[in-house]
Structure formats: structure tokens, C-alpha cells
Amino acid sequence: MRTQLLLLAAASASALSVSVAQAQTADDQTAVEEVVVTGTRTAGRSRLDTVSPVDVVDSKALTRQGSTELAQALSTLAPSLNFPRPSAVDGTDSVRPATLRGLAPDQTLVLLNGKRGHAAALVNVNGSVGRGSAAFDLNTIPTAALDRVEILREGAAAQYGSDAIAGVVNLRLREARSGGGATASYGLYNTEVKTARDTDGRKAKDGVTYTASVWQGFGIGEDGYLTVTADWSKRNPTNRSDVSSAFSPGVVTGRYGDAEIESKSLFANGGVPIGETWKAYGWLGYQHRDGESAAFPRLSNNAANILSIYPNGFLPKIVTDIDDYNAAFGAKGEAGAYTIDASFTYGQNDIDYGVKDSLNASYGPTSPTSFKAGSMRYRQAVASLDVTRPVTIAAFAQPSTLAFGAEYRKESYDIVAGEQASWANGGYNGLAAGAQGFPGFRPSNAVDVSRDNYSFYVDLDSQVTDKLDVDVAARFEDYSDFGTKTTGKIAARYDIADGFAVRGAVSTGFRAPALQQQYFTATSTNIISGTATEVGTFPATSPVSAVLGAKALEPEESKNYSLGLVYHRGPFEVTVDAYQIDIDNRIVLSENIQGSATGTATQQAIYTLLQPYGVTTARFFINGVDTTTKGVDVVVRYRLDAAEAGRFDLTLAGNYNETEVTRLPTTNTLSSLPVPPALFARVNVLTFERGTPRTKFVASGDWSKGPWGATLKLTGYGTVLQPNATASLDYWTGRKAVIDLEARRTFADKLTWAVGANNLFDEYPNRTPAAVNSTSGVVGFPNYSPFGFNGRFLYTRLSYNW
């Protein structure tokens, strides 16, 4: 299978967008959708002529499937991008991260219209792929607002700054002076659920999803435009829990699956000419998202249950109320030989937490059952200046493109405490304090921090000969919290013959420690031997972390190497790109470092260190993990226009990706103990190495003839490990293949009706073994499954364009 996938493999499968081909003839290789702006500052380059691999996914490819989540849509089109869709991991149920090339979610830079996007306020601190990361939330941008997505599959920190280690995803908003469209869809999961304790299975029809969107282009003057998009979606929850062994016969007591989500989005993108050579531009975007996910159930006999409130036990729900904002304005034009782009962008992400159907056991029978648990805020403001001009170098075949610029960025991060009952100790019968399911942020957790940085870059792209193109870039950054960083890149392309070229690059990169990683803190109070003690996550610079040897976080550093080839002839094209990414000093969330007054010598030593702070267990973010990632991407595409049979766009693409952890973190304090505790233990090491599929491929075919159309897609996933503390409890998702099918009919060239199925044959990952599961039987399937674990999704969609 590995050999086959090495021949097929590709990091950004249908990122070569099926719908572009539908809009052009087989001989037309110059459609405007093919021109890219990501990864190059030389105007007019197509994706097959770039020095670095850049793929394009257009809006039709994104919307011609059942999901309306941008992250899920991209994961079905790009083999190197995965979207696991975890459950029972607190806020991460509602803000689910995507990964590129098996790296951390925050090691891919996301741009909006070519400008740096802002991260979510959430930091993933629970047991999901991407644990410890604070990344851009792709699902804050509705697919209806997008014209296309460009994916640069190469390190680009020297060009774009921090985070661009795995690559860059550039989300391009619609730019329309006229026309518009409206779409409504309905779908649900129609599946048979068979778990380890329920092999007979049960029928499920859940996750009912409604969506509606509309967009309209308006002309402003002779050449200006304003495109407005409104989008609404409502997804009901799913449940793929196993049955509880506490009952006979077993019953489902948990809720394990997709969270309930309702989102409302409004985007506007515009531009107007200023004189003959200048244009003013800007955009505004807002999304409000309500989410509700479930924690683990508390059965009636649970020690933390209050029978007078919940005689039959209870299932706590975690509620998220998310507001996301995007705004930008700028001007671009010519001044002599210079092309100048000056802009200001602002982004903000607010998350308010609540808990319902819960209780604070330490309040006893007087406990509330719903709580306001606090909030997190992240804000980012960026002012940038980008300048390009042609430069004639006598020995070179064509004028070079010189680009240079500067950027100033201001970031801030806040944590606001929840209401007192969500975290306080009421003193009832020595029971643990805090709202069950999600203890509220305490006043001691509140933070209000900020930082700024400025950067300068220079980039020279030179056509040295008619066949050789060389691009050299360097960037300097200065952060107010950790100092300076300089990165560089050299990339080249050599055209051996018409339609056949080799390309490669060597670069250095970095990722600055996020404010969320530096300052996130959450603590709870446990009653141990009658004494109230704190356990939780502490900032690396806090006294609690410092006494265990933690230090202020430093940037991650990377070295990227790539070598590839491009071949295209008429309707046929193939790209192959091999890569290696070495990352040093990765930032991770440590294991729980636990002390005990009566435990082992090591536990007693830790207890002595932590006792002055009233803490028994602590974890913190730390540098010190080194990894090496190697892989290959391959994309093969063929377009066929058969008059009688119709038009076909065929893509075969895949990715092989392997990560190895080569160094683990330590601190001098903990290393001196009799048996040093692991700071990054087995589960997390194996999550880095086997938490995403080593092999993934997509074989897709898109057909159209007159008013009819259809898309058939097969996605194959290599097996993924769901690790546990001991090897005997590990299990695998298994090698799986998922088939998606959609059929369409257009009436009067405007109205299109589609019906389809995602996961047509109801494929599931391997079940969670009963021996691994808790008595409550919540976890029916592995959280790390790269295609989720909800089964077959049926949908219908109605679209009208004008």
C-alpha cells in the first residue's frame, strides 16, 4: 500500500479544483482561476509555473459536497490536510483544529485575502490531535463567502513570518460587481452504529443539519465592487457512545459525537478605484457561533452526584458562545516603478463558556445547575506595507521582481473569571469544588496580557536564464516578549523542456510562542486527605511552574527541504514534491506532574516543591521536543472532453507523511529526582508520530453533460494509532476507504438541485475496545479517526444563481 501511495500521493489533492476545469476547454490553460498570488510576489504566475507548489480549490469544489464546514470540506480535497473531529474534549468540540502534513494546527499560517489571519482564543489542552496548540479556526469563514483557497505546500516563514512551517492557506473572498446566488441544504446521518459492547447495533438518524446562504455582488462606479455574503447553519448533535456496563441490559448514558452548533455569518468584501492606478479595498466579517457539547456522564451512584438534585444521575453540557470578527482596509497602486500595498487588519475571537445540566458538588443540595464559567479573548491588529518593483540585472534573462516591506503586529489575550459558584468550594461533605464538566475560571486565573512585534523582509525573484528561476527571501522579526528572529529561503525552478520542470527549496522558519500558550491557566480545587489543594495548568513563568524548572517559552525553529517535478501536456498534468521538515524546540503541554506526601520518593520530592503553593499537581507549556517529518505529495490530473459522453475531470492524488520524535523535554529540577517524571510521555509522543494517517489518497471524478452533473470521490486513509498509557491498551483506527457521491441537475441554467451521500457505504473506524472504555462506555470510536466516526450522511441541496 505504501508503494502505491508513493506513486499516487499528494498533499493537496483536489486543491487543483475540479470546477476550474468545468469552466474552460481542454485547450485553455490560462483561465484566471489558475493564476495564484500565494508564495510568489511576481504577478501573473499560474499554479503550474510557480517556483513553489501552490494548489487552488475554487468555491464550486468546496460547496459540491455535503459538509458546509470549511475545514471538513478542505480535508476531503487535500490529502495532506486532516480534520479529526474529536469529541468530549471541552471547547475543542466547538473549535476543532485541522492539521497539515501531520504537524500542529498552529504550524500552518492562514491568510485572509493575503493578510495574516488571527488565531482562536481557545488553546487545545485536552486529549485531541493538536493538543497544546492555539490555531486559526477555519470554520469561522463560511464557504459561501469564498472565491477560492490557495494552499502553499512549503515552509514560508521568510516570506510571511511566524507559523508558516508546514505551509500557508490563503482564503480568498469573492470579488463580484454583479450576480449572486442563494443556497439551501438539508442533511442527516442515517447509519447503523455497532460498538464493542453493542455488536448487534442500533439505527441512528441524527445530526440533522440545515444551511442557508446568499451572496450578491454590487457595482460601485465603473470598476468598483462590493460583495456581500450572509450564511446560517444549524447542526444537531450526534451520539456514537458505547453502552454502559453498569446496567443490564446496557444502555447509552453518554453523548459522544458532533457538538450541537448554530452559526450566523456576515461578510462584505469591496474595492474601488482611486484615480487611474490606485485602488482602495477592505472587508468586514462577523460570525456568531453557539455550541453545546457533552462531558462524561455522572451516574446516580457517582460520588460527585447529589441525589436530591439528580436522582438518576446527570450529563453535564458545556456551552460555548463564540464571536469572531475580521476587518481590513488598505490601498494598492503604482508610484512610478513601484507597486505599493498599505493595509491595516484587525481580528478578534471571543469565547464565553457556560455549563448546564451540572452541579457544584461542594455546594450540596443548594448547588445551581447552570453556570457562567468565564471567557477568553484574543485580539490582533496588523499594519503592513508591501512594495514591489522590477529590477534589471544585466546578466539575467528577464527583469527580476524585488519585493520588500514591513509589518507591525499587536496582540492581546484575556481570561475573565466565571461566576463564583462555577469554581468556588462550598464546603459540603468535603466534595470537590467547581462546575462538573468544566470548572469555571477562577479570579487567580484571570490574565490581561499583550505584546507587539515588527518585521522587515526582502524577496528577490529572478529569471536568471530562460530556463532557471531563482527566488531568495529573508525576514527579520523582533518580538517584545522573547527578542529577535531571522529566517531565510532560497527556491529555484528549472524548466528542462516545455511542460517539464524540476523545483526545490531550502528554508528556515519559526513559530513564536502564542500568548495563549504563555499565559493560559486553569485550576480546580480537589479535597485530598481533608485538605483543599489546587491542580491545574499554570503559565511557564508562574512560581508553581518555575519551582519545577520551567522557563519562559522560546520560539520553535524549523528547517524545510523540498524537491519536486512538474509535468503538463494538454489536458494531462502531474506534480510530485518530496519534503523534509526538521523542527527543534517545539512547544508542548507537559504531562501532569503529581506530588504525594505518602507516594514514591519522586512523588514526595515533588510534593515538597509544590506544598508552599498549596498545589499537588501541575502542568505547563514547555519547549524541548524535536521532530523530523518526511513525506511526498503527488497529484495527477486529466481532463477529457468527450462530446457524446460529456466532460470529465479526473484527479488521483495522495500524501505519504511520517513524523519521528527525536528529542524530549527535560528540566534540571525534575531530572535530579530519583526517577524523573516524563514531561512528554508515551501517549503524546505517539500522537505526534501516529496520530494522523501516514498515507492518504483521493481518487475523484467530476462529470458534466448539459444540465446534468455528478461527482464521485474515493478517499483512502492509512491506519491511525489511538495510544494509551500502556501498549496493551493501544488500538488502531484501521485502514479505511470512504466513498462520497453527488448527482446534480440544473434547470433553466439557474436552478440546481443536488442529492448526495458522504460516506455512502457507512464506513466506521475500528471500535474502541470494551477493555479500554470506562464503565459509562462513552467512547464508542477513536477520537483520532481522520474522517470522524459518524457514519453515512445523506443530503440534498438547492442552489439558484443569477
Side-chain angles (χ1 to χ4, degrees):
M1 187 175 183
R2 177 183 297 187
T3 301
Q4 293 172 345
L5 288 166
L6 284 170
L7 295 174
L8 302 177
S12 226
S14 296
L16 298 173
S17 125
V18 295
S19 51
V20 169
Q22 294 177 336
Q24 63 187 55
T25 68
D27 296 328
D28 181 7
Q29 302 289 322
T30 59
V32 67
E33 290 90 346
E34 299 285 327
V35 176
V36 298
V37 298
T38 309
T40 179
R41 290 185 169 90
T42 299
R45 289 229 172 121
S46 76
R47 60 178 173 79
L48 293 176
D49 294 329
T50 55
V51 176
S52 301
V54 181
D55 300 321
V56 181
V57 185
D58 83 346
S59 59
K60 291 181 180 178
L62 290 171
T63 56
R64 286 179 174 173
Q65 49 186 304
S67 174
T68 58
E69 287 186 280
L70 177 58
Q72 184 172 342
L74 285 174
S75 73
T76 66
L77 298 171
S80 61
L81 190 146
N82 286 286
F83 184 53
R85 286 154 270 176
S87 181
V89 282
D90 295 349
T92 308
D93 285 20
S94 298
V95 185
R96 302 189 290 192
T99 67
L100 185 65
R101 289 181 167 175
L103 299 181
D106 53 10
Q107 290 171 334
T108 298
L109 175 63
V110 178
L111 308 176
L112 185 59
N113 275 358
K115 308 299 181 181
R116 173 179 286 270
H118 64 275
L122 176 79
V123 58
N124 300 299
V125 295
N126 290 293
S128 64
V129 173
R131 179 179 182 266
S133 63
F136 185 96
D137 181 5
L138 287 169
N139 290 330
T140 57
I141 311 298
T143 56
L146 293 172
D147 174 67
R148 66 189 187 276
V149 178
E150 297 178 0
I151 303 175
L152 171 63
R153 294 182 277 116
E154 192 170 85
Q159 295 163 292
Y160 296 103
S162 174
D163 307 347
I165 290 177
V168 176
V169 175
N170 189 3
L171 309 176
R172 305 288 299 179
L173 298 174
R174 292 184 188 270
E175 299 179 2
R177 282 179 45 83
S178 62
T183 299
S185 69
Y186 169 84
L188 82 163
Y189 287 98
N190 188 333
T191 182
E192 185 175 7
V193 184
K194 293 184 178 181
T195 57
R197 292 176 181 158
D198 184 16
T199 56
D200 292 336
R202 64 184 188 268
K203 298 289 186 180
K205 292 185 178 181
D206 58 9
V208 174
T209 302
Y210 308 89
T211 72
S213 65
V214 60
W215 69 271
Q216 176 66 54
F218 301 93
I220 302 177
E222 293 185 1
D223 298 308
Y225 66 90
L226 174 65
T227 309
V228 179
T229 304
D231 181 271
W232 170 81
S233 68
K234 172 66 182 295
R235 183 187 72 206
N236 288 286
T238 62
N239 192 357
R240 303 295 177 263
S241 288
D242 203 344
V243 298
S244 172
S245 60
F247 301 89
S248 182
V251 296
V252 175
T253 59
R255 197 180 90 187
Y256 179 73
D258 282 350
E260 180 179 351
I261 297 289
E262 181 177 11
S263 67
K264 302 170 186 176
S265 305
L266 183 64
F267 271 76
N269 184 40
V272 293
I274 305 174
E276 296 183 359
T277 61
W278 282 79
K279 180 182 83 169
Y281 63 86
W283 59 87
L284 293 171
Y286 170 72
Q287 182 186 86
H288 178 79
R289 185 193 307 169
D290 293 315
E292 181 190 287
S293 61
F296 274 46
R298 274 62 170 173
L299 303 183
S300 60
N301 61 354
N302 190 297
N305 182 34
I306 303 298
L307 287 171
S308 62
I309 300 178
Y310 294 113
N312 298 316
F314 62 101
L315 181 66
K317 311 294 195 316
I318 301 169
V319 177
T320 53
D321 189 340
I322 302 173
D323 291 295
D324 192 84
Y325 306 84
N326 286 281
F329 63 87
K332 183 177 182 178
E334 298 178 4
Y338 296 91
T339 298
I340 301 172
D341 184 350
S343 66
F344 175 82
T345 62
Y346 178 80
Q348 179 175 325
N349 185 261
D350 302 342
I351 304 177
D352 293 330
Y353 286 100
V355 188
K356 69 178 188 178
D357 300 336
S358 181
L359 56 79
N360 182 338
S362 71
Y363 275 56
T366 64
S367 172
T369 58
S370 63
F371 307 86
K372 294 180 180 180
S375 59
M376 297 188 294
R377 309 275 187 267
Y378 176 79
R379 298 168 177 81
Q380 173 184 278
V382 182
S384 62
L385 176 67
D386 301 289
V387 182
T388 61
R389 65 157 296 165
V391 175
T392 300
I393 301 176
F396 292 175
Q398 298 178 18
S400 302
T401 299
L402 174 66
F404 57 92
E407 180 181 279
Y408 172 79
R409 184 163 82 251
K410 180 80 171 182
E411 301 171 84
S412 63
Y413 176 63
D414 306 338
I415 296 177
V416 179
E419 63 177 313
Q420 183 170 335
S422 72
W423 55 265
N425 184 358
Y428 179 79
N429 283 353
L431 296 178
Q436 293 191 53
F438 189 95
F441 293 115
R442 304 168 64 179
S444 60
N445 301 141
V447 298
D448 183 358
V449 293
S450 63
R451 73 174 175 195
D452 55 15
N453 92 300
Y454 60 85
S455 60
F456 305 94
Y457 74 88
V458 61
D459 190 336
L460 183 65
D461 191 333
S462 301
Q463 193 72 44
V464 179
T465 70
D466 290 337
K467 296 181 178 294
L468 178 62
D469 186 359
V470 178
D471 188 2
V472 179
R475 189 180 188 98
F476 170 83
E477 303 223 13
D478 191 317
Y479 282 77
S480 60
D481 51 357
F482 67 80
T484 63
K485 201 70 194 165
T486 302
T487 54
K489 178 177 181 178
I490 180 168
R493 173 190 173 111
Y494 187 79
D495 288 272
I496 298 172
D498 186 26
F500 181 52
V502 295
R503 61 190 179 192
V506 177
S507 65
T508 59
F510 81 106
R511 193 187 71 79
L515 289 177
Q516 296 92 316
Q517 294 172 319
Q518 293 186 78
Y519 295 103
F520 176 80
T521 176
T523 54
S524 60
T525 301
N526 287 354
I527 307 300
I528 300 176
S529 300
T531 302
T533 57
E534 286 191 3
V535 299
T537 305
F538 298 88
T541 53
S542 72
V544 173
S545 302
V547 79
L548 298 175
K551 298 179 180 179
L553 298 180
E554 300 174 352
E556 301 175 345
E557 300 179 351
S558 69
K559 295 183 178 67
N560 291 55
Y561 311 89
S562 66
L563 181 64
L565 62 85
V566 179
Y567 177 79
H568 58 97
R569 181 72 63 186
F572 177 77
E573 63 188 55
V574 57
T575 63
V576 181
D577 293 279
Y579 56 88
Q580 178 172 319
I581 307 169
D582 298 329
I583 309 177
D584 294 340
N585 229 22
R586 288 181 67 164
I587 299 169
V588 297
L589 181 60
S590 79
E591 310 295 340
N592 287 321
I593 309 303
Q594 186 170 3
S596 170
T598 59
T600 66
T602 293
Q603 290 174 330
Q604 291 182 45
I606 294 171
Y607 179 84
T608 301
L609 291 170
L610 295 177
Q611 190 178 27
Y613 306 98
V615 176
T616 59
T617 302
R619 63 180 181 176
F620 47 87
F621 284 90
I622 187 173
N623 290 101
V625 174
D626 294 353
T627 61
T628 295
T629 299
K630 299 178 181 179
V632 61
D633 304 330
V634 180
V635 178
V636 182
R637 183 178 175 192
Y638 183 70
R639 297 173 299 280
L640 175 64
D641 198 349
E644 295 297 324
R647 181 172 182 81
F648 297 86
D649 193 329
L650 308 175
T651 302
L652 184 59
N655 167 258
Y656 176 79
N657 189 84
E658 183 173 351
T659 293
E660 180 184 4
V661 174
T662 58
R663 183 172 73 97
L664 297 175
T666 61
T667 70
N668 290 336
T669 301
L670 296 179
S671 295
S672 66
L673 299 181
V675 180
L679 281 166
F680 198 67
R682 183 179 189 275
V683 169
N684 289 309
V685 170
L686 290 174
T687 296
F688 271 25
E689 295 184 334
R690 298 308 307 264
T692 57
R694 286 187 175 177
T695 54
K696 180 184 172 185
F697 71 88
V698 177
S700 66
D702 195 271
W703 167 78
S704 62
K705 179 176 172 59
W708 295 93
T711 301
L712 176 65
K713 181 164 50 189
L714 167 68
T715 307
Y717 299 89
T719 188
V720 171
L721 177 67
Q722 187 84 39
N724 280 280
T726 60
S728 62
L729 298 178
D730 289 348
Y731 60 103
W732 297 82
T733 63
R735 293 185 177 91
K736 302 294 178 178
V738 175
I739 293 177
D740 301 335
L741 176 64
E742 177 179 295
R744 298 176 294 273
R745 175 67 161 88
T746 299
F747 303 89
D749 295 328
K750 293 182 179 294
L751 181 67
T752 300
W753 178 41
V755 293
N758 291 347
N759 195 354
L760 178 63
F761 295 106
D762 207 18
E763 189 69 61
Y764 274 85
N766 293 344
R767 310 162 190 170
T768 298
V772 177
N773 222 332
S774 65
T775 301
S776 59
V778 174
V779 183
F781 300 92
N783 240 344
Y784 289 8
S785 171
F787 60 96
F789 45 83
N790 278 312
R792 177 175 48 237
F793 184 77
L794 306 177
Y795 65 91
T796 184
R797 183 179 64 250
L798 197 64
S799 302
Y800 185 78
N801 295 306
W802 55 85

